[in-house]
Amino acid sequence: MSQLQERFPDIQEGVLLAPMTTFKIGGPARWFLVVKDREDLRDALRIARKEEMPVFFLGGGSNVLVSSKGFPGLVIKNEMRALSVEGARITAESGSILASVVKAAKDNGLQGIAALQGVPGTFGAAVRGNCGVPNCETGDYLVSALLLDTDLEYKTVDRDYFEYGYRHSKLKGNGEIVVEATIELTPGGDPKEIMADMMSMLKARKAKQPWGKSGGSYFKNPSKEYSAGFLVDKSGGKGLSVGDAQISEKHGNFFLNKGQATSEDVQNLAAEIKRRVKEGFDIDIEEEVEFVGER
Ligand code: EPU
């Protein structure tokens, strides 16, 4: 019996991850645990480390491609979701859905993040990955964050610590976890006007992007001059498919699961389009979507 089962009697084995991702792709997790508070989180990580088990921290499942072979360790589903508003600041736990933070801002007349309406995933993932849309990235508003470091100690850090870049922060490579974060917005807005902004930006995005099972933008934009969608499009990628994985006919940077696509289908499709873009433009496009699990 794993110590995980002793400490967490509700832990599940062999849970399929596909339904928990927006791509609807992904095999079983060896262990699957829903975590709602900090001490459970720390204990789970401590045991996994002791048992030399890989850990994957699942948020909204919106920016990941999970292997169809599954994940050979512990998947922790983050459901720590406390949220509070004080003046112009919102403090939320990392498992809060980003949309609930955007809504809290609107309800309190706080301006700045209306453009994040419709961006899927959790607040913690957005803080870690600097998620957003052009001219509105989560990191722009960050004041401080509570992290769990690699020694499983809590520490509070400020914005500079993250070394933010485009869809990037230092946390993407160092194994630290966002537990809670505080953002600061501009007070004094009218909730009705903020709502109207949210809706018009969402509408503009819906006009350009496909609905359907996808991981959002598949590649990062390589530069301001060249967007990945443009490069894929001009390389004849739109509509291209491998198995049930297809590049959207509407937008070149969206890969769709048309039914039973596997992670391998998606990766083979990505390899083909990367090759074409390299050949045509001599540019290496890189995945924004993170691959998780067994190759
Ligand atoms: N374009 C084409 N062909 C296509 C798609 C796009 O020529 O098939 C051209 C467009 O005409 C435009 C340029 O490429 O000139 C950029 O396209 P778009 O305005 O659709 O924006 P994007 O750079 O592809 C970014 C974010 C999205 C975000 C939108 C909001 C990245 C990688 N993507 O898309 O973020 O929703 O802006 O407008 O930064 C995500 O990160 O998951 C995501 C969806």
Side-chain angles (χ1 to χ4, degrees), residues 25-270:
I25 294 175
R30 170 78 183 88
W31 298 104
F32 181 82
L33 182 67
V34 175
V35 160
K36 295 189 193 235
D37 77 65
R38 295 173 192 189
E39 282 324 298
D40 282 1
L41 170 67
R42 184 144 74 165
D43 283 355
L45 291 169
R46 191 179 286 135
I47 296 169
R49 175 173 300 189
K50 212 164 144 197
E51 300 194 356
E52 294 179 5
M53 207 181 267
V55 174
F56 168 54
F57 206 54
L58 178 71
S62 57
N63 213 20
V64 289
L65 176 62
V66 178
S67 170
S68 295
K69 292 185 189 143
F71 187 78
L74 170 65
V75 172
I76 297 177
K77 173 96 166 68
N78 180 5
E79 289 191 5
M80 300 186 294
R81 290 184 177 156
L83 185 154
S84 62
V85 182
E86 223 185 297
R89 294 186 171 190
I90 301 178
T91 297
E93 285 187 316
S94 52
S96 306
I97 304 302
L98 183 59
S100 66
V101 178
V102 175
K103 182 178 178 299
K106 186 250 318 164
D107 290 345
N108 289 277
L110 299 177
Q111 305 169 87
I113 57 171
L116 299 184
Q117 167 73 5
V119 173
T122 59
F123 180 57
V127 169
R128 170 179 179 266
N130 203 13
C131 294
V133 296
N135 305 319
C136 182
E137 291 176 336
T138 309
D140 299 346
Y141 303 92
L142 196 81
V143 177
S144 63
L146 177 70
L147 307 180
L148 197 52
D149 71 15
T150 49
D151 294 325
L152 303 184
E153 299 296 335
Y154 291 108
K155 68 174 180 194
T156 301
V157 299
D158 64 12
R159 183 183 185 282
D160 289 345
Y161 182 82
F162 283 82
E163 297 173 8
Y164 277 123
Y166 167 62
R167 297 292 194 275
H168 180 80
S169 84
K170 180 164 125 183
L171 261 63
K172 276 202 162 177
N174 73 1
E176 296 181 328
I177 288 169
V178 180
V179 176
E180 181 181 87
T182 300
I183 54 172
E184 185 166 279
L185 302 168
T186 307
D190 172 6
K192 278 203 190 84
E193 279 170 27
I194 299 173
M195 186 68 186
D197 278 355
M198 283 159 63
M199 286 303 131
S200 76
M201 287 189 244
L202 186 62
K203 201 171 153 202
R205 266 223 312 290
K206 275 191 180 175
K208 285 196 282 192
Q209 300 174 359
W211 282 137
K213 297 178 247 174
S214 90
S217 290
Y218 194 82
F219 298 108
K220 293 185 219 171
N221 285 337
S223 65
K224 287 225 153 58
E225 197 184 356
Y226 285 110
S227 72
F230 171 84
L231 294 168
V232 171
D233 186 357
K234 293 295 173 255
S235 306
K238 278 181 167 177
L240 199 68
S241 65
V242 171
D244 266 351
Q246 186 186 45
I247 297 178
S248 162
E249 309 259 9
K250 190 167 179 184
H251 193 298
N253 202 14
F254 281 73
F255 283 40
L256 300 173
N257 171 8
K258 304 296 276 187
Q260 303 300 317
T262 64
S263 59
E264 217 178 335
D265 294 336
V266 175
Q267 286 185 302
N268 288 339
L269 184 57

